[in-house]
Amino acid sequence: MTAPRMSERRTSIIGAFLVALGPVSMALYTPAMPELVHAFSSTESAIKLTLSLYFAGFALSQLVSGTMSDVLGRRKTTLIFMTVYLAGSLMAAFAPSVEVLLAGRLVQGIGASVGMTVSRAIVRDQFTGTEAARIMNMVGMMLAIGPAVSPTLGGFALGLFGWQSIFFLMVGFALTACGAVYFCMAETTIPDPAKGRVGPILRGYGELAASSRFVSATLVMAGAVGALYGQATMLPFVLIGKVGLTPTQFGVGMLMQSGFFFAGTVVVRVLMRRMPPARIVFPGLCFIGIASILIASLSHLMEPTFLSVMGPVGIYAFGIAFVMPYMMTAAMEPFPHIAGSASAAMGFIQMGSGFIAGLVAAAIGLPLFAFGTIIPAMGLMAILSYAWYRAVCARDAQLLTEPAE
């Protein structure tokens, strides 16, 4: 670990802005999805595919952006990918057909992927342990604001100026990100071109895949945070199509999810003053478990209402805030030499789980049934993976205490 080159506050703010770019680009867009079906004389499945392609570009490109940040440095890599995100936003804004819109969303996802990988890498480059968990919690607090405001902003922009205005907002985000990185972000690692060769890349990912600690901790994140991305493909069609909300009402209603998440990060910040971050994970998984049971039962047993859908979603989000800070740092802590690749692999699995959830939901074709089945399954995956992680930690602790023969 290098000596900190940015303060904890600056690292938190830059990291939060970069990591929020991906979810914001998704949340800002979701109120317009039903409208785009009519705007392009297309089908609901085709418009859902725009979100799925965004997920695909976001998830797969993290493997590239993470390694590139080890090879070229965090700063240069971020600027390259933000330029790609800008190009995708312009493609989507001026799309004459649904095919060009699909391509634009894919390019956007590729560009936005750098935020997730670099934000975690710059924390790992400079901080570890409780300090790193505190930063990730602060990132979570600030991250809640962007996705909370985005659906509301997207709904108002859609109502006042049409669907293109949503993508022009993303153009503004891209330009802001480039300015923030260029003027405010310090380089936190020493670029190493040797890490760009095929051999070191494969060895690095092989080391991660062989680590039970990394895989189990990452699967906890995939089940917890991945559920947020997965349900983003379902909630617009449940709340707008089944419950009957307007796009603007949907945007305002999504404040409930982000509000619960933000409240969770505030509670976690207070708790971390009195106990280590590791002890906060289990209560968070209990909230996720309760929410999963409610989602499964209410979705299958009663007609959906706003509260029957968003109440359990809010509880799930509250639990995620407890899980995220420690599990992120726990997964990456043993790998300072390949922090970019470790962050990339974690992000790929996390986003990949959301992408798969979206594909399964599209294949099912029944938004409410898919929501009530897929999201509880992801909650169960998070809980079982944490049990695995605890078993791995106990085994490692026992090996350290056993006397050498």
Side-chain angles (χ1 to χ4, degrees):
M1 182 181 68
T2 60
R5 301 185 183 185
M6 294 187 288
S7 67
E8 184 176 322
R9 177 173 295 181
R10 195 200 301 188
T11 301
S12 299
I13 294 172
I14 293 175
F17 186 82
L18 291 176
V19 80
L21 195 62
V24 163
S25 299
M26 178 182 64
L28 192 71
Y29 169 78
T30 49
M33 291 176 70
E35 173 69 22
L36 290 171
V37 175
H38 304 290
F40 286 99
S41 300
S42 186
T43 64
E44 188 175 290
S45 296
I47 298 304
K48 283 182 180 179
L49 188 58
T50 63
L51 200 55
S52 297
L53 284 174
Y54 178 86
F55 275 136
F58 196 106
L60 291 170
S61 297
Q62 286 186 65
L63 298 175
V64 178
S65 61
T67 301
M68 279 185 64
S69 73
D70 287 334
V71 175
L72 301 178
R74 316 297 185 211
R75 225 169 143 266
K76 186 174 182 179
T77 300
T78 304
L79 289 171
I80 292 171
F81 275 81
M82 282 298 98
T83 303
V84 173
Y85 174 80
L86 174 61
S89 301
L90 290 170
M91 286 176 63
F94 293 106
S97 66
V98 72
E99 290 78 15
V100 177
L101 179 64
L102 289 167
R105 289 294 284 171
L106 176 62
V107 173
Q108 271 192 315
I110 292 171
S113 69
V114 75
M116 196 70 74
T117 55
V118 165
S119 63
R120 287 190 292 249
I122 62 175
V123 174
R124 181 61 189 87
D125 288 339
Q126 303 173 95
F127 307 97
T128 57
T130 300
E131 202 171 24
R134 188 166 59 241
I135 294 174
M136 291 310 302
N137 177 253
M138 178 62 74
V139 168
M141 293 179 69
M142 300 172 72
L143 176 61
I145 297 173
V149 174
S150 295
T152 307
L153 182 60
F156 283 124
L158 177 66
L160 294 173
F161 304 109
W163 64 267
Q164 286 179 304
S165 62
I166 292 176
F167 294 108
F168 284 125
L169 285 172
M170 297 182 195
V171 170
F173 295 153
L175 295 173
T176 302
C178 289
V181 171
Y182 187 83
F183 292 107
C184 303
M185 179 177 163
E187 182 56 68
T188 60
T189 191
I190 299 174
D192 185 359
K195 292 181 180 177
R197 298 170 186 164
V198 175
I201 291 174
L202 294 179
R203 284 195 296 272
Y205 283 122
E207 183 181 353
L208 295 171
S211 170
S212 297
R213 172 171 172 161
F214 178 83
V215 174
S216 58
T218 298
L219 287 178
V220 174
M221 294 298 299
V225 182
L228 291 182
Y229 301 125
Q231 69 192 16
T233 64
M234 309 168 213
L235 286 178
F237 297 98
V238 172
L239 293 175
I240 296 175
K242 299 292 183 182
V243 177
L245 302 186
T246 66
T248 300
Q249 288 172 331
F250 169 78
V252 174
M254 289 302 291
L255 289 170
M256 188 169 184
Q257 174 180 280
S258 296
F260 269 86
F261 179 72
F262 182 78
T265 61
V266 173
V267 173
V268 168
R269 191 161 186 84
V270 173
L271 291 176
M272 282 199 295
R273 297 172 185 166
R274 304 178 181 180
M275 63 181 68
R279 291 181 57 190
I280 299 173
V281 177
F282 181 75
L285 289 171
C286 290
F287 285 116
I288 288 175
I290 292 169
S292 297
I293 293 170
L294 289 173
I295 289 171
S297 58
L298 295 178
S299 297
H300 292 300
L301 298 178
M302 64 176 288
E303 284 296 311
T305 65
F306 175 77
L307 286 179
S308 73
V309 173
M310 291 306 297
V313 166
I315 297 171
Y316 202 117
F318 188 78
I320 292 172
F322 283 65
V323 172
M324 188 178 73
Y326 175 75
M327 297 312 301
M328 277 190 175
T329 56
M332 292 186 61
E333 193 164 359
F335 306 102
H337 53 296
I338 49 170
S341 296
S343 179
M346 177 187 289
F348 171 74
I349 295 172
Q350 182 177 300
M351 287 297 299
S353 68
F355 174 61
I356 292 171
L359 288 181
V360 174
I364 292 174
L366 301 170
L368 183 61
F369 179 85
F371 171 71
T373 304
I374 296 170
I375 302 305
M378 297 182 79
L380 178 61
M381 181 177 75
I383 292 168
L384 294 177
S385 298
Y386 182 68
W388 179 22
Y389 171 80
R390 293 289 298 173
V392 169
C393 291
R395 181 200 64 192
D396 291 345
Q398 184 177 4
L399 290 175
L400 288 174
T401 57
E402 287 180 354
E405 293 183 1

